[in-house]
């Protein structure tokens, strides 16, 4: 009597799992065709809840929005971990890439990075590095307009090596 009851429960459980799997497959193809990492996903809006370590990235297109679960947030966004959900949040308007809302890593065109902020010009006492678009502290010995001068010890060495015919009566 016990064996048929166990078999009946096993079959009922298998049927439930099969139905659940079919439902997930039907829902699993949203706008982007990918509900990977989602706990809750719909065809119209994509993911709305992600697995524990993933970030929910919401892409907006006009009045429509679509969610996707990602390991890392895309460029222009940073990840915020929360108790309920981990989200991707947009960087500030002048940031191309950021670590948080208040700390930029790379700036958009026409801005220079200085201590995590994107500024239109470098502050006094700094120089703009054109390749990296970063403001760099000016070294204490470096003055404006003196970039091309050689260090003092090189000039002394040149004087020592300077071999000119000496005039009689003059001391070296």
């Amino acid at each position: 009597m016990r064996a048929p009851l166990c078999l009946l429960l096993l079959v009922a459980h298998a049927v439930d799992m099969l139905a659940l799997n079919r439902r997930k497959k039907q829902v699993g193809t949203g706008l982007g065709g990918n509900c990977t990492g989602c706990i809750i996903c719909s065809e119209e809006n994509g993911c709305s809840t992600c697995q524990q370590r993933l970030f929910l990235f919401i892409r907006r297109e006009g009045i429509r929005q679509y969610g996707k679960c990602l390991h890392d947030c895309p460029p222009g966004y940073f990840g915020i971990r929360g108790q309920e959900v981990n989200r991707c949040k947009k960087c500030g308007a002048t940031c191309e890439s950021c670590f948080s809302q208040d700390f930029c890593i790379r700036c958009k065109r026409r801005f220079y990075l200085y201590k995590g902020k994107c500024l239109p010009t470098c502050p006094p006492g700094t120089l703009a590095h054109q390749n990296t678009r970063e403001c760099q502290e000016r070294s204490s010995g470096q003055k404006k307009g003196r970039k091309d001068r050689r260090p003092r010890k090189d000039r002394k060495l040149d004087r020592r090596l300077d071999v000119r015919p000496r005039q009689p009566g003059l001391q070296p």
Side-chain angles (χ1 to χ4, degrees):
M1 174 113 169
R2 219 170 179 191
L5 182 60
C6 286
L7 185 58
L8 181 63
L9 287 172
L10 185 60
V11 169
H13 180 70
V15 169
D16 281 346
M17 292 305 289
L18 185 61
L20 179 65
N21 194 29
R22 273 196 198 125
R23 220 173 27 244
K24 278 186 180 176
K25 282 183 180 175
Q26 289 170 349
V27 170
T29 58
L31 185 64
N34 187 356
C35 284
T36 305
C38 297
I39 293 174
I40 300 173
C41 187
S42 75
E43 204 166 314
E44 297 80 34
N45 298 323
C47 297
S48 60
T49 307
C50 297
Q51 293 174 3
Q52 192 175 16
R53 291 192 171 109
L54 301 178
F55 291 98
L56 178 62
F57 172 63
I58 307 237
R59 184 179 72 228
R60 290 178 174 84
E61 294 174 0
I63 60 170
R64 190 156 192 184
Q65 65 182 29
Y66 184 77
K68 192 172 185 180
C69 296
L70 305 169
H71 287 282
D72 297 303
C73 294
Y77 292 82
F78 64 97
I80 296 179
R81 295 203 183 271
Q83 287 183 321
E84 299 291 317
V85 67
N86 301 325
R87 293 188 182 272
C88 292
K89 192 170 179 189
K90 197 165 182 62
C91 295
T94 58
C95 286
E96 186 176 300
S97 180
C98 63
F99 180 72
S100 70
Q101 186 70 41
D102 301 320
F103 197 90
C104 293
I105 298 169
R106 188 173 39 247
C107 299
K108 289 184 177 177
R109 287 184 59 190
R110 298 189 194 116
F111 292 94
Y112 295 92
L113 183 65
Y114 180 70
K115 295 185 178 179
K117 304 283 182 204
C118 293
L119 307 171
T121 59
C122 288
T126 64
L127 297 170
H129 190 273
Q130 295 302 322
N131 292 343
T132 61
R133 306 215 34 94
E134 294 177 6
C135 300
Q136 296 176 340
E137 300 287 332
R138 193 178 286 156
S139 65
S140 59
Q142 191 177 10
K143 303 263 193 255
K144 231 178 183 176
R146 296 181 68 185
K147 293 178 195 169
D148 56 330
R149 288 194 70 180
R150 292 184 304 190
R152 185 174 281 167
K153 67 179 179 181
D154 287 350
R155 290 192 310 255
K156 283 182 181 178
L157 182 64
D158 284 351
R159 277 191 288 235
R160 275 192 237 140
L161 295 174
D162 191 14
V163 183
R164 287 186 225 150
R166 297 189 187 187
Q167 294 179 354
L170 291 176
Q171 291 191 355

